[in-house]
Amino acid sequence: GATKPDPGIYRAALDALGAEPSDCVFVDDRICNLEAASNLGIEAVQMARSEFYPDIIWDGPVVHNFEELNRILESGELL
């Protein structure tokens, strides 16, 4: 019954996964969704792809494609 950026949707996902917020990474293009995830302790990364370039750039990690996302995930920079 919840949708982004309602914190309940993130809690439901964490519960379904049996995961702690600090063990997760949330990727989205919208700041309000990133802030909601971040407020719960989930690492938030903005996907700022050129075809859907957002009006506002996140003050945290930003990637422009899945290759960049994979690179920072594999490097351990985030967690």
Side-chain angles (χ1 to χ4, degrees), residues 22-51:
S22 60
D23 295 331
C24 297
V25 175
F26 176 76
V27 181
D28 202 290
D29 59 341
R30 299 186 67 206
I31 299 291
C32 61
N33 298 336
L34 296 166
E35 288 173 340
S38 181
N39 288 340
L40 291 175
I42 300 169
E43 181 73 53
V45 178
Q46 185 178 37
M47 176 67 75
R49 293 183 289 175
S50 59
E51 62 269 29

Side-chain angles (χ1 to χ4, degrees), residues 56-74:
I56 302 170
I57 297 297
W58 174 239
D59 192 27
V62 176
V63 296
H64 299 93
N65 54 53
F66 288 102
E67 205 171 85
E68 287 181 17
L69 178 61
N70 286 337
R71 190 170 31 255
I72 65 170
L73 291 173
E74 290 172 359

